[in-house]
Amino acid sequence: MSNSQNLLQLKNGHKAYGAQVLFDEATFSINEGEHVGVIGPNGAGKTTLFKILLGQEELDQGQIVQSRALRLGYLSQHDEWEPDETGNTYLEKVCTLPVWEAKLRGRELKVSEELFAKRIMDLSGGYRMRIKLIGLLGRDPNLMMLDEPTNYLDLETTLLLEQFLQSYEGAFLLISHDREVLRRTTDHTLEVESGEIVKFSGNIDDYFEQKELLRSQLEAQAQNQAAKRKTVMDFVTRFGAKATKAKQAQSKLKTLEKMEVIEFKAVPVQATIKIPKPNPVGKSILKLEESFFGYGDRSVIKNVSLEIKRGDHVAVVGLNGAGKSTLLKGLAGTLPPMKGQRTLGYQVEVAIFNQHVAENLNPQHSVFDSLQELSSLDVSTQEIRNMAGSLLFSSAAIDKKIKVLSGGEKSRVALGRILLQKVPCLLLDEPTNHLDFQTVEALTQALVAYEGTLIVVSHDRSFVRRVGTKILEVSGGDVHLYPGTYDEYVWSLQRSLILDGGEKPISLSLQKSVTVKSPEKTVVGKSPRDQEKQIRQLERDIALCEKQIDEIEQLNTEINAEIASGNSAPEVLSELLGNLTANVAKLDKIENRWIELSERLGKQTPVKS
């Protein structure tokens, strides 16, 4: 990316609200084609930074420099639709390119002409986001700014968005708390944290590795300096009073004064969430027998029979609108069955968390009062304080009133109230929303170790993969136990979304590259000759994939050897890690293509000559 043009720079930027400094002396640049993940704790200033770059807010100090070639596009979190607006009328309103060209650029997002003709308000959140993104492409940006685009998206749309971002030739800045999306789509990471903005090479995994590497280096330097200081001070103490050594002692003291002080930021709070052990219950937790759930006369979930047993950790999956939240409400008992029966096991109590729970908090309560209100009687005051701390409420913030908290902070209080109840069955609907990476990791570890029964809906794939040991799929009103793992479920959905067509050349390292050539279109023939031709073409395409896989694996071997040698400077090591991660993502894509081609070949019947 060294020859790419600079699109946007922030120089010595300072922004504060009263005593709260969001960032100070912040400097970074964004270049053509860079895919940048923007991360940081809630409230650190990510969205404010976007507003400043868009010209919606002003810097207190500093400068924004824009290239003449910059064409900036923004995808906001919030919808701005007219009541009767269709996809077509929206595109006609916002696009500067012809609408047909915007649709062509966004063809990977799979919006049919039938859907474009419908009222946007009648479409699912996933399709609304797709149409907004196509509208953005219709303004021909070369730097897109995307603010939490995956919030509340179904898995299918998230996978399509990933595919789109992976192949997008322009640059983008992507604010997201979804580690899986950042891992798969970005090649740089912009950290907004503790008053600083720092740009790292590589995706989110590389970022964590580099942070740990830099911290280790600084700690080693600090320890080395501490040892040197001790040696100097010991010398001064021992010989400072002696005339023959006094001059040397003073010289060493001056050396000490000139010594650079090594400072490093404290590691973000590594919270540990401890969920109190649930009350003992029998083997059967909850049963549904031929149950229907819905609203009014419309049933969303139909004729479901299932049994949840003690210790089950169940992930509920399915597209948005399929009925996952409805099923969760039915299991919790907050939505009575229209038909059928719901039965709780002996002494079983359930607690449900969803985004609406936070709206029912008493605004006059403090954080501590609110957590204590629903806590089990045998949960100690210290356990409540520990839970508050693990959800990022400091000893001062624990006394704040609910009414002054942000939406994300209220959501964390509501989650803590659920976890402190000691009920044997927790139902959690999107529990990781409004949590930063560290808190999501702490919650994940706590729920993996949780001895009770867990039923969870989440769009965070890393979270679901680790927490859910059984998969319930909701589709078309039906609910069934998925026979495989969550990874297999995601893979099956992803496989159905793999698009045919050519691949672009891919750069695998600074010095070397492999060109992924476009397989020729194969025409389904009816004659034996056509069938033979099709088989030969599939075999050539498979051989090409295998060659590309070998080349990438060879490059990765070379990069790993360079990393293992320990001779690389930190900036070179950072670049090597970024290249390695990019290669792994490309390898995964080519392997998926190889699987698809092999399956097609396996379906062909060889023609005897």
Side-chain angles (χ1 to χ4, degrees), residues 23 75 161 184 221 248 250 291 367 492 511 526 599 606:
F23 44 86
L75 187 77
L161 178 64
R184 291 173 178 270
Q221 290 178 42
Q248 283 180 264
Q250 290 303 315
S291 299
V367 171
S492 67
Q511 297 81 21
K526 296 182 180 179
E599 287 183 345

Side-chain angles (χ1 to χ4, degrees), residues 185-247:
T185 63
T186 63
D187 49 38
H188 287 76
T189 301
L190 194 70
E191 175 197 63
V192 184
E193 181 183 52
S194 303
E196 294 185 10
I197 301 178
V198 182
K199 187 179 177 187
F200 292 82
S201 177
N203 69 11
I204 189 67
D205 291 338
D206 303 318
Y207 159 78
F208 283 119
E209 285 186 23
Q210 290 173 64
K211 286 278 283 186
E212 183 60 33
L213 177 64
L214 290 172
R215 181 168 180 81
S216 298
Q217 289 175 340
L218 288 173
E219 284 179 342
Q221 290 178 42
Q223 289 170 3
N224 187 36
Q225 284 197 355
K228 287 181 180 178
R229 286 176 183 276
K230 185 176 184 303
T231 300
V232 171
M233 292 308 297
D234 286 348
F235 181 90
V236 171
T237 302
R238 186 175 177 188
F239 298 112
K242 295 186 178 182
T244 56
K245 296 287 186 180
K247 190 172 181 180

Side-chain angles (χ1 to χ4, degrees), residues 95 97 101-102 105-107 109 132-141 144 164 168:
C95 291
L97 297 174
E101 187 172 345
R105 292 187 179 195
R107 63 190 180 280
L109 297 170
K132 281 173 63 178
L133 191 52
I134 291 169
L136 178 59
L137 294 174
R139 296 192 286 278
D140 192 28
M144 295 194 301
F164 168 77
Y168 182 64

